[in-house]
Amino acid sequence: ESRRFFLCQKFKGEIKMSTYGPLKKRSVTSGAAFAQFEPLKSTTEGTDGQELTVIKSSATSSVIIGVALDSATAAGQGVEMALPGSVVLMRVGSGGVTKDDYVGIDGSDATEIATLTLSGSGTTNRQVLGIALRTGVSNDLIPVMFNPFITQV
């Protein structure tokens, strides 16, 4: 018997549902303000190793560990973060994205995504955030299979 799992994400007060699969998430603490669906990187680890503080991505070199499922208006707030292996909504940068593209941090806005061309022969490390599951233009929210890895471009 086939079962469908529903992915629910809140967007502007509405629950958005999808049948992509279960959402893997973790509660974290905000290190600064950030918006919902922005890529997050870690800043500090609590003394017991259980508390994780995150901030939004600041550059293409940021190592992204999750995607914000909530927004934070200040440091110290508890928020939910999607973990690798989840399908998450992410905001498209000015260059647009095509379905099935590998996507990473946009060079002009580190809180948005852009298509990455993977040559495999470059010398610059870049983090691929995942694969676009829909085509989108600037400022669209599109589903991305969030499965980050580092490669050279």
Side-chain angles (χ1 to χ4, degrees):
E1 174 184 339
S2 171
R3 291 186 182 191
R4 285 202 163 170
F5 293 95
F6 291 93
L7 165 69
C8 297
Q9 296 181 354
K10 267 198 308 191
F11 177 61
K12 293 185 180 181
E14 291 181 38
I15 300 292
K16 299 282 185 178
M17 260 210 248
S18 163
T19 56
Y20 288 112
L23 180 66
K24 298 175 184 177
K25 62 184 181 175
R26 175 185 174 147
S27 296
V28 294
T29 302
S30 64
F34 51 77
Q36 185 180 30
F37 308 125
E38 287 187 336
L40 301 174
K41 64 181 187 173
S42 65
T43 57
T44 58
E45 182 181 325
T47 54
D48 62 1
Q50 298 300 312
E51 297 174 22
L52 185 63
T53 302
V54 296
I55 60 173
K56 67 182 177 180
S57 170
S58 57
T60 56
S61 59
S62 295
V63 177
I64 305 305
I65 62 166
V67 176
L69 296 176
D70 304 308
S71 35
T73 55
Q77 293 182 321
V79 294
E80 295 288 316
M81 174 181 77
L83 297 173
S86 300
V87 173
V88 295
L89 295 176
M90 298 187 84
R91 190 164 306 282
V92 176
S94 59
V97 170
T98 302
K99 181 184 178 300
D100 297 330
D101 282 355
Y102 285 106
V103 296
I105 297 298
D106 188 338
S108 20
D109 185 339
T111 64
E112 297 177 337
I113 58 170
T115 296
L116 290 180
T117 302
L118 305 181
S119 66
S121 60
T123 58
T124 303
N125 285 340
R126 283 292 298 273
Q127 184 176 24
V128 174
L129 296 180
I131 299 171
L133 299 178
R134 284 201 188 132
T135 297
V137 297
S138 181
N139 214 32
D140 280 353
L141 284 171
I142 64 163
V144 172
M145 173 55 76
F146 179 58
N147 204 9
F149 62 93
I150 304 288
T151 190
Q152 291 189 326
V153 293

